[in-house]
Amino acid sequence: MIKHALIFGFIGSLLIISWFFGSYIITESNPYFSFWGNLVIVIVGISVFFSIYFYAKPLDSFSFGQGIAIGGLSLLIMSIISATIIYFVVNQYFAEIIELYKSESMVHLVKNKKQLTDDSSQEIYDSYLKSIPEINAYNSTTRYFISNLIVPGLMLSVLSTLPLRKKVEKNENVN
């Protein structure tokens, strides 16, 4: 199971990293938080599904617990590898992604000030404004790791495991 999870975790992480930087280079949009950047969920889902599917296919019996274990382990490996590499590459070579994220966040806050203050309060809005300069590669990648990889990946592990469950049929001869 661990060898299988390592293989699919590594393949999935290569796809995630390629998507992250590819979406930035091609669309010039913020890969941490944009429509194209958030489509990484599709890659996470496909990677998790195929990890579970190719593990379960040759087995005579495959339980929900096995599916969650293999899907979760593959997801964890792919997420840790992806987040680590994304953090280091953004921090060292693509600092402009963080600046783009900060400017987009500021534009969003200013543009939606009335709605945000009406829905919450001026104090919360002010705390959001104060947090924008604190955006960096570490906290952006951590948020990306949790909200775009781990949470959707775990949900997709459950959804992928359900149809793949199978039990060994017992032949009972009643005379």
Side-chain angles (χ1 to χ4, degrees), residues 1 4 50-59 62 66 70:
M1 184 181 289
H4 180 86
F50 281 119
S51 173
I52 296 168
Y53 175 77
F54 286 119
Y55 184 79
K57 186 178 179 182
L59 300 177
F62 183 72
Q66 287 174 300
I70 192 67

Side-chain angles (χ1 to χ4, degrees), residues 1-14 16 43-56 62 65-83 145 149-150 153-154 156-157 160-161:
M1 184 181 289
I2 292 174
K3 179 182 175 186
H4 180 86
L6 282 168
I7 291 168
F8 279 89
F10 183 72
I11 292 168
S13 66
L14 290 176
I16 291 168
I43 293 171
V44 170
I46 290 169
S47 298
V48 166
F49 173 78
F50 281 119
S51 173
I52 296 168
Y53 175 77
F54 286 119
Y55 184 79
F62 183 72
Q66 287 174 300
I68 295 301
I70 192 67
L73 191 55
S74 298
L75 173 68
L76 186 62
I77 291 166
M78 96 175 70
S79 298
I80 289 172
I81 292 170
S82 300
F145 171 79
L149 304 178
I150 295 295
L154 289 175
L156 294 166
S157 288
S160 297
T161 298

Side-chain angles (χ1 to χ4, degrees), residues 98 102 106 127-136 139:
I98 299 301
K102 287 179 181 181
M106 183 62 79
S127 70
Y128 285 145
L129 277 176
K130 289 177 186 174
S131 71
I132 289 177
E134 297 171 6
I135 294 174
N136 58 38
N139 57 28

Side-chain angles (χ1 to χ4, degrees), residues 103-116:
S103 67
E104 286 179 358
S105 297
M106 183 62 79
V107 167
H108 174 74
L109 281 176
V110 170
K111 179 179 164 186
N112 297 306
K113 180 179 181 179
K114 179 161 177 31
Q115 181 183 354
L116 293 169

